[in-house]
């Protein structure tokens, strides 16, 4: 499996966007990429929060969208609003629990039967941390049984996104190169907690870290197949992912990330953008490409590369 050359990561300090100077780690044209009118996007978790904002942005650029959400009523209402405003069918809704393979498969099948292809897949659905174990309390522990951990956060944020990714890759594989020059593009919603640990959110942090390394790994595999894979990693954004009370101190200390700045990073991956294997990150006014791990890379690379070659042979994959 070939990795992107290290020169691909251009560590420039400033990026000017429509919102003014932003700290960044790569150079980007002041002209943001756009989708080609009529291109189709499949977005999970699209009835609220970041997913809803991305969906609105894509429709405003002339795109057609599949609004996939576990809240089927909210998805249908949102699709109706978009269609009414456009005066034509630009959106369809599917009820989809991302942890349910059959529901996700049905959603993709409906998208293909309706729009004939999917140009972009946004694996966005996710939830906040659920307590996976009871709070640490040695005195109470002796009086309660061992508790099975609640792994819902990891199941939705990691396994659910991998189901979405699996359907995206198999869909892209079955269709020709589209108007923007790609078979398709997969964009995963991760988090800065994919890089930084959190005492209170071990499952959220581990699932987002999994998404980041999954993204980097599959981006290398699909790099020569007219498919790009990237991740958007914001810090806390004011959405409905958590109870509003959680956001109060963050508003007070101005520690929330601007949703428009998050959308700007999604937009950089659209159209004819060739960015691949990147973790575009946002925290308050800061924007950067988070670098891959390089500590002891040179010493480990021969074994890491060889394991890919040997596993490809074992799996019957013809990738060199």
């Amino acid at each position: 499996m070939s990795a992107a050359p290290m020169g691909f990561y251009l560590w420039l300090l400033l990026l000017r966007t429509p919102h003014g100077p932003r700290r960044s780690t790569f150079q980007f044209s002041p002209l943001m990429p756009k989708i080609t009118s009529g291109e189709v996007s499949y977005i999970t978790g699209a009835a609220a929060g970041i997913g809803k904002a991305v969906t609105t942005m894509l429709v405003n650029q002339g795109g057609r969208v599949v609004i996939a959400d576990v809240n089927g009523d909210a998805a249908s209402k949102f699709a109706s609003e978009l269609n009414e405003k456009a005066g034509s069918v630009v959106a369809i809704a599917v009820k989809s629990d991302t942890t349910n393979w059959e529901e996700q498969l049905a959603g993709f099948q409906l998208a293909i039967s309706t729009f004939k292809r999917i140009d972009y897949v946004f694996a966005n659905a996710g939830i906040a941390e659920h307590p996976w174990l009871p709070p640490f309390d040695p005195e109470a522990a002796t009086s309660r049984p061992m508790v099975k951990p609640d792994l819902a956060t990891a199941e939705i944020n990691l396994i659910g996104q991998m189901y979405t990714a699996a359907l995206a890759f198999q869909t892209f594989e079955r269709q020709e190169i589209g108007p923007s020059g790609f078979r398709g593009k997969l964009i995963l919603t991760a988090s800065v907690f994919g890089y930084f640990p959190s005492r209170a959110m071990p499952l959220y942090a581990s699932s987002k870290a999994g998404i980041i390394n999954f993204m980097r790994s599959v981006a290398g595999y699909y790099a020569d197949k007219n498919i790009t894979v990237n991740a958007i990693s914001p810090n806390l954004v004011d959405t409905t992912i958590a109870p509003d009370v959680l956001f109060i101190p963050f508003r007070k200390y101005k520690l929330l990330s601007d949703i428009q700045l998050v959308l700007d990073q999604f937009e950089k991956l659209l159209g004819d953008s060739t960015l691949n294997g990147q973790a575009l990150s946002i925290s308050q006014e800061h924007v950067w490409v988070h670098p891959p791990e390089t500590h002891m890379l040179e010493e480990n690379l021969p074994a890491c590369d060889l394991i890919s070659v040997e596993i490809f042979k074992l799996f019957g994959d013809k990738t060199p």
Side-chain angles (χ1 to χ4, degrees):
M1 183 182 297
S2 60
M6 291 307 295
F8 186 75
Y9 302 97
L10 307 176
W11 311 124
L12 301 181
L13 292 180
L14 291 177
L15 169 66
R16 183 167 294 276
T17 74
H19 304 279
R22 304 294 183 187
R23 181 168 295 278
S24 182
T25 53
F26 70 103
Q27 188 175 24
F28 198 81
S29 166
L31 297 176
M32 291 287 231
K34 304 285 184 182
I35 64 172
T36 299
S37 181
E39 282 190 309
V40 179
S41 297
Y42 191 104
I43 309 106
T44 65
I50 291 174
K52 187 172 185 177
V54 169
T55 302
T56 302
M57 177 185 74
L58 295 167
V59 170
N60 288 342
Q61 290 189 13
R64 297 176 292 174
V65 295
V66 181
I67 301 168
D69 202 283
V70 68
N71 187 334
D73 291 340
S76 295
K77 180 182 178 182
F78 185 29
S80 296
E81 291 170 354
L82 292 172
N83 292 332
E84 183 177 356
K85 182 178 179 180
S88 62
V89 177
V90 297
I92 61 171
V94 297
K95 181 184 182 302
S96 178
D97 174 352
T98 56
T99 65
N100 186 311
W101 170 259
E102 287 73 22
E103 286 191 9
Q104 286 224 55
L105 176 60
F108 272 77
Q109 290 172 334
L110 178 62
I112 294 298
S113 65
T114 303
F115 294 130
K116 309 310 176 189
R117 67 176 288 124
I118 301 173
D119 298 284
Y120 305 90
V121 172
F122 295 81
N124 170 74
I127 62 171
E129 184 83 1
H130 283 202
W132 77 300
L133 289 177
F136 184 82
D137 185 348
E139 293 184 3
T142 56
S143 62
R144 68 170 185 253
M146 292 288 187
V147 176
K148 182 180 178 180
D150 181 348
L151 302 181
T153 302
E155 289 167 354
I156 294 171
N157 293 356
L158 182 59
I159 302 303
Q161 285 208 21
M162 288 184 173
Y163 278 169
T164 304
L167 287 161
F169 292 137
Q170 293 179 83
T171 298
F172 299 158
E173 183 181 9
R174 288 162 168 75
Q175 62 192 23
E176 299 299 321
I177 293 174
S180 293
F182 297 89
R183 288 183 180 274
K185 294 188 171 191
L186 172 63
I187 304 170
L188 302 113
T189 299
S191 168
V192 297
F193 290 105
Y195 329 131
F196 311 131
S198 171
R199 294 175 297 151
M201 302 191 301
L203 267 69
Y204 187 87
S206 59
S207 62
K208 295 302 184 179
I211 288 299
I212 292 296
N213 216 28
F214 173 76
M215 177 275 292
R216 296 197 195 284
S217 299
V218 294
Y221 180 80
Y222 287 99
D224 62 350
K225 299 172 176 60
N226 299 110
I227 295 169
T228 64
V229 190
N230 294 280
I232 303 297
S233 300
N235 206 323
L236 193 64
V237 180
D238 200 342
T239 69
T240 56
I241 193 171
D244 188 71
V245 66
L246 176 69
F247 296 99
I248 293 174
F250 292 89
R251 295 183 190 124
K252 177 181 178 181
Y253 295 109
K254 301 186 185 305
L255 290 176
L256 292 169
S257 298
D258 178 22
I259 185 66
Q260 183 56 53
L261 193 53
V262 174
L263 291 178
D264 288 347
Q265 310 322 305
F266 278 100
E267 194 170 7
K268 291 169 186 172
L269 305 172
L270 304 178
D272 60 1
S273 170
T274 58
L275 289 176
N276 187 46
Q278 302 298 302
L280 307 190
S281 310
I282 312 97
S283 184
Q284 292 91 61
E285 75 278 12
H286 304 289
V287 175
W288 73 99
V289 177
H290 202 81
E293 179 61 64
T294 58
H295 181 65
M296 294 293 289
L297 175 62
E298 185 177 351
E299 292 80 0
N300 280 275
L301 202 54
C304 291
D305 280 347
L306 184 57
I307 193 65
S308 290
V309 172
E310 295 304 317
I311 285 179
F312 281 143
K313 291 179 184 177
L314 186 65
F315 290 173
D317 191 313
K318 297 180 181 179
T319 299

